[in-house]
Amino acid sequence: MAKRALSRILGVLAAAVIPLLPATPAEAAVAAVKIGDTQLDPAALYFVSYDGLVNNDSFQQSGIFSYAGYQYAAWYTADRSAVLARRPAAGAWQTLVLPHKLTVDDSHNVISMGVSPEDGRLHVAMDTHGNQVYYTGSEAGLLSSPSSHAWTASAFGPVQRTLDGVDLGAITYPQFVVTPERKLQLSYRTGGSGNGVNELAEYSGGSWRKLGKWTSATGSWTSGNGVTSTTRNMYLHGLTYGPGGRLHAAFTWREGNTGVLCNAGGLANHDTGYVYSDDRGRSWRTSSGAAVTTPVSVSTPGTVVDPLGVDHGLMNQESQAVDSAGQPHVVISYVPGRFTQCVTDYSAQRKQYGRTFFLSRAAGGTWTKREVPVAPESTQRTKLVFDRADNAYLVMPYGRIVAATKASGWTDWKTVYTPDLRAFGEVDVDDSRLATDGVLSVMYQQVSTGTTPSPIRVADFRLG
């Protein structure tokens, strides 16, 4: 009896200490601990248009980034002036005001930044949605030798309507990327929503040149209700250079004829597609490696990796990232068919029924799709990053962070940070800093009402 009693006592004690045992390696591999939160501006410009803020939109791609030991951020302050800031590691933010003010209350007109490693210049493209860009570049060495250069507006040239004389015409969504040869490229759209094409320009040797169009707006596409559309545009989830120099582009199409919809309250976005380029955007291939006859069009075979009709509120321009093995992964969100086959109010129904999905490409070119078991509860987009162990982190609207381990095949999703930021919704992230020191910086603007300015801040998280 005494032995049995002792056995029961030991069993109770063992059960009591189980929660205190160390987590398994897979469980311990993902974490997000906030280690800092600094204010960029107590009164940043605030207005809501197209369900977004002009200071935090996913298609900026580089509204905050790091280079050569410094971090850089950009936003519009209360009087509409364009502001740039920098800080050294563990240092205070320094700001400067460019001689330009936002021309219109349109959340598309974001500030995007890029660096040309050849000469260490900072390039800024801003305030454009179907109009000529406002562009300026800094003096050489401002970013490559930051401690040797004063952070003042005089370090920048005049604000122009061209890229140093290269006229792009009316553009939208300027995004900078750097090639493996350390050349700077600018991605942008000409034309408009439902009838536009993607183009590239390149900066090398101190000058810009146009590389031209690589997508097509034309061709016939017919929806499930039998209506045909003959124009569209490709919305990018990003342009990302991965290991080996491959350029990855995931996307969705938006049709020009909204008659393809089951209801006018939906979004004319359909399908998730993917192509890659091994010659810096001059030519493209499908996921299987088949050569694409450029430009890429809705009729190009083999480009769709996740078919989906127009009636599910599929969001455009969400997010993509490339892991250390050079494989791309994409985040998309929409209203699954188990809730409705016909979205009639994309804003309300995405908030209520929208779900996030994680798409992964294997080395052989096949794709796997997984639903993330944490609903976004928002119309806004999610950002995807990988830590240095290839664990995936989703920075969801309002700053919630959800993660999954590579060891699980990115199936063990869990919330690792519940936000206390009072963020409006969509946020911007600095994945370049994450790659160098394991810290994820999230730039966010706090919610306000009407057009009352509100603080814009940067929260720093130690991952893994």
Side-chain angles (χ1 to χ4, degrees):
M1 290 291 294
K3 288 183 178 180
R4 286 198 296 270
L6 179 60
S7 177
R8 286 196 298 269
I9 292 171
L10 290 175
V12 170
L13 290 175
V17 300
I18 283 175
L20 302 180
L21 293 175
T24 65
E27 291 172 336
V30 290
V33 178
K34 188 163 72 167
I35 59 174
D37 197 315
T38 56
Q39 184 166 271
L40 290 168
D41 188 340
L45 183 65
Y46 187 98
F47 59 85
V48 180
S49 88
Y50 296 94
D51 273 344
L53 302 182
V54 73
N55 287 329
N56 280 105
D57 260 316
S58 66
F59 42 78
Q60 281 176 270
Q61 188 152 319
S62 51
I64 180 170
F65 76 101
S66 295
Y67 188 79
Y70 276 65
Q71 190 172 54
Y72 299 86
W75 69 95
Y76 297 102
T77 192
D79 72 354
R80 310 179 73 84
S81 295
V83 180
L84 305 181
R86 74 174 184 182
R87 66 173 173 178
W93 289 100
Q94 301 171 286
T95 61
L96 64 84
V97 180
L98 293 175
H100 178 75
K101 294 191 176 185
L102 182 69
T103 57
V104 62
D105 283 357
D106 186 334
S107 63
H108 291 83
N109 294 40
V110 299
I111 304 173
S112 290
M113 299 180 292
V115 56
S116 49
E118 289 181 327
D119 53 18
R121 297 179 190 269
L122 177 61
H123 302 257
V124 183
M126 56 188 163
D127 196 6
T128 180
H129 182 196
N131 56 270
Q132 284 186 288
V133 69
Y134 291 90
Y135 164 82
T136 184
S138 77
E139 61 193 15
L142 182 66
L143 266 63
S144 54
S145 302
S147 61
S148 303
H149 293 263
W151 187 247
T152 63
S154 61
F156 289 81
V159 176
Q160 316 167 31
R161 305 307 300 277
T162 66
L163 300 184
D164 290 333
V166 177
D167 188 357
L168 305 180
I171 73 165
T172 308
Y173 307 126
Q175 301 173 341
F176 293 99
V177 291
V178 176
T179 74
E181 296 81 18
R182 297 166 58 85
K183 296 179 180 179
L184 180 66
Q185 293 182 324
L186 179 68
S187 166
Y188 56 95
R189 186 188 74 191
T190 54
S193 174
N195 190 7
V197 299
N198 293 336
E199 303 195 36
L200 286 170
E202 191 169 87
Y203 177 88
S204 182
S207 62
W208 285 97
R209 66 187 180 103
K210 294 173 68 172
L211 300 183
K213 304 173 183 179
W214 65 274
T215 73
S216 170
T218 60
S220 294
W221 185 85
T222 303
S223 70
N225 63 9
V227 176
T228 297
S229 178
T230 57
T231 65
R232 66 207 45 83
N233 73 286
M234 176 194 285
Y235 277 119
L236 291 169
H237 291 302
L239 274 181
T240 310
Y241 278 101
R246 177 164 291 177
L247 179 60
H248 302 267
F251 57 87
T252 185
W253 293 106
R254 174 172 292 179
E255 295 303 315
N257 180 3
T258 56
V260 298
L261 292 164
C262 63
N263 186 280
L267 283 174
N269 298 339
H270 64 92
D271 297 324
T272 298
Y274 167 80
V275 290
Y276 69 84
S277 173
D278 286 333
D279 58 5
R280 316 309 182 240
R282 273 73 168 176
S283 66
W284 297 86
R285 292 182 177 272
T286 68
S287 188
S288 66
V292 170
T293 301
T294 308
V296 182
S297 76
V298 74
S299 304
T300 302
T303 58
V304 175
V305 298
D306 185 55
L308 185 71
V310 292
D311 296 324
H312 293 275
L314 175 66
M315 183 48 63
N316 48 283
Q317 297 161 293
E318 197 125 16
S319 189
Q320 69 174 33
V322 180
D323 65 25
S324 64
Q327 296 305 322
H329 306 257
V330 186
V331 173
I332 62 174
S333 61
Y334 61 88
V335 177
R338 65 178 183 269
F339 298 111
T340 180
Q341 294 291 341
C342 181
V343 168
T344 58
D345 183 334
Y346 87 87
S347 180
Q349 289 176 295
R350 276 182 55 84
K351 285 182 180 179
Q352 185 174 5
Y353 301 122
R355 296 295 184 268
T356 298
F357 297 85
F358 183 72
L359 308 181
S360 296
R361 181 182 185 271
T366 59
W367 288 77
T368 301
K369 178 181 180 180
R370 305 171 181 88
E371 182 173 345
V372 178
V374 181
E377 301 176 329
S378 170
T379 61
Q380 279 88 33
R381 305 165 180 93
T382 288
K383 302 292 286 188
L384 166 65
V385 297
F386 285 98
D387 67 15
R388 288 176 289 188
D390 280 340
N391 301 312
Y393 290 79
L394 305 182
V395 188
M396 288 184 146
Y398 316 113
R400 177 193 290 146
I401 303 177
V402 177
T405 63
K406 178 186 178 182
S408 74
W410 302 289
T411 60
D412 56 351
W413 295 99
K414 65 177 182 180
T415 299
V416 293
Y417 174 70
T418 301
D420 58 358
L421 306 176
R422 295 188 61 246
F424 164 79
E426 213 159 284
V427 300
D428 205 354
V429 301
D430 180 358
D431 52 3
S432 50
R433 183 183 182 190
L434 178 59
T436 57
D437 64 11
V439 172
L440 174 67
S441 291
V442 176
M443 188 168 77
Y444 66 97
Q445 188 163 354
Q446 293 186 325
V447 68
S448 186
T449 57
T451 58
T452 303
S454 69
I456 189 165
R457 305 180 63 89
V458 176
D460 298 321
F461 297 87
R462 176 73 64 183
L463 300 187

